[in-house]
Amino acid sequence: FQVAGYCQNSKLDSLLTALSSNKTNDTNKIKTYNAICWEYFITSDYKKSREYADLSIQLCDKLNFLKGKAEAINYIGNIHAQKSEYNEALLRYKQSLEIKIQINDIKGIGATYNNIGNVLWNQGNLPEALKNHLEALKIREQLGNPKNIAQSYANISNIHLSQKNYDEALKYSFKALEMQEKNNDKFSLGITHNNIGTIYESQGNYKKALEHHLLSQKYKEEIGDKYGIALSYFNIGLLQ
């Protein structure tokens, strides 16, 4: 925690220094505004994050820099989503998506469909959430980024689990698992094995559920995920 916090603060300080030394209203300043917005967001300072998103949008409008504007609007959507202000988050994501479609930002389109799907899932609108995640998956498969594809598989699995479509949930979780194993993504492997354990548990297959919760625990221990380890102990305890 201390090291991560130091790195984040150091990066933010560097960005703020770069901003103060940039006296030109150009796209580099917009990129810096957006980067600062993101750094404040990941430290949960949503007020400051929103301030820099607004500054970015104002300058984007002056320079007609649509890509930067779409990114800033997306960050505002993230802020509302984190605060459970889902209707406002959807509005912002859709505004961002419209711009990304206009400028043919394919990667950004996929990411925004993913964000919209997550908000709709949180709202309980599972059919529309699934529709948006499938759109995100289609784009991500075209781009070929394994980490993003695996994320979409996992999101689709979660929706099927919420709908009690257990076979489909397992299918997409194992698809995610396959990609995560290729990338040796231990953090995501821990989460996905946990999710598979939960699906098997919902089916009443406690032997398989225990097998995957134990695998989840293994990966979480390897990366020192204390919260994840505690969760695994709890899930395993319920099955023994």
Side-chain angles (χ1 to χ4, degrees):
F1 259 148
Q2 291 176 339
V3 173
Y6 173 79
C7 291
Q8 287 170 0
N9 290 336
S10 176
K11 185 172 183 179
L12 181 57
D13 288 343
S14 297
L15 287 166
L16 290 168
T17 299
L19 181 64
S20 64
S21 64
N22 184 355
K23 306 302 181 184
T24 308
N25 286 334
D26 56 10
T27 57
N28 285 329
K29 179 174 278 190
I30 290 168
K31 291 173 184 176
T32 305
Y33 279 147
N34 284 343
I36 293 170
C37 170
W38 173 251
E39 290 300 316
Y40 276 124
F41 174 77
I42 62 176
T43 56
S44 302
D45 190 339
Y46 302 135
K47 183 178 179 181
K48 279 286 187 182
S49 183
R50 177 60 187 265
E51 285 177 13
Y52 281 93
D54 287 338
L55 287 169
S56 176
I57 291 169
Q58 290 170 20
L59 187 52
C60 284
D61 285 339
K62 288 180 181 177
L63 301 180
N64 194 31
F65 185 42
L66 293 177
K67 183 166 182 164
K69 182 175 182 178
E71 184 178 357
I73 293 172
N74 186 78
Y75 287 151
I76 294 173
N78 290 345
I79 293 166
H80 286 297
Q82 283 298 112
K83 294 165 73 176
S84 300
E85 298 166 353
Y86 296 129
N87 288 335
E88 189 64 28
L90 276 179
L91 174 65
R92 296 298 185 170
Y93 286 145
K94 288 177 180 178
Q95 289 173 344
S96 179
L97 179 62
E98 185 177 342
I99 296 171
K100 289 172 180 177
I101 291 172
Q102 180 183 345
I103 62 176
N104 199 34
D105 177 7
I106 303 300
K107 183 179 178 181
I109 292 168
T112 306
Y113 274 128
N114 182 78
N115 291 344
I116 291 170
N118 286 338
V119 171
L120 290 166
W121 181 35
N122 284 321
Q123 287 185 313
N125 190 344
L126 301 181
E128 284 299 312
L130 181 58
K131 179 180 174 183
N132 279 274
H133 278 304
L134 287 170
E135 285 291 335
L137 175 61
K138 182 168 67 175
I139 291 168
R140 288 172 163 185
E141 286 179 332
Q142 290 171 359
L143 294 174
N145 184 307
K147 188 169 184 177
N148 289 342
I149 295 168
Q151 182 191 56
S152 286
Y153 284 150
N155 288 335
I156 292 166
S157 175
N158 287 334
I159 294 170
H160 282 301
L161 175 59
S162 297
Q163 294 176 317
K164 300 184 179 180
N165 297 330
Y166 300 128
D167 289 342
E168 286 295 299
L170 280 174
K171 181 178 84 172
Y172 280 99
S173 275
F174 278 112
K175 281 176 175 283
L177 202 64
E178 183 180 358
M179 292 216 154
Q180 290 157 0
E181 285 172 346
K182 288 179 181 177
N183 294 323
N184 197 30
D185 183 355
K186 293 183 179 182
F187 178 79
S188 297
L189 281 165
I191 293 172
T192 302
H193 277 294
N194 179 80
N195 292 347
I196 292 172
T198 300
I199 297 166
Y200 277 127
E201 191 174 350
S202 298
Q203 288 183 311
N205 190 338
Y206 302 119
K207 182 180 178 181
K208 282 284 187 183
L210 179 59
E211 176 185 323
H212 285 278
H213 281 306
L214 287 168
L215 285 167
S216 177
Q217 178 190 334
K218 169 181 170 288
Y219 285 113
K220 289 167 181 174
E221 286 177 342
E222 286 181 7
I223 63 171
D225 178 3
K226 292 181 181 179
Y227 173 79
I229 293 166
L231 180 61
S232 289
Y233 282 146
F234 177 78
N235 289 330
I236 292 164
L238 292 176
L239 294 166
Q240 288 181 326

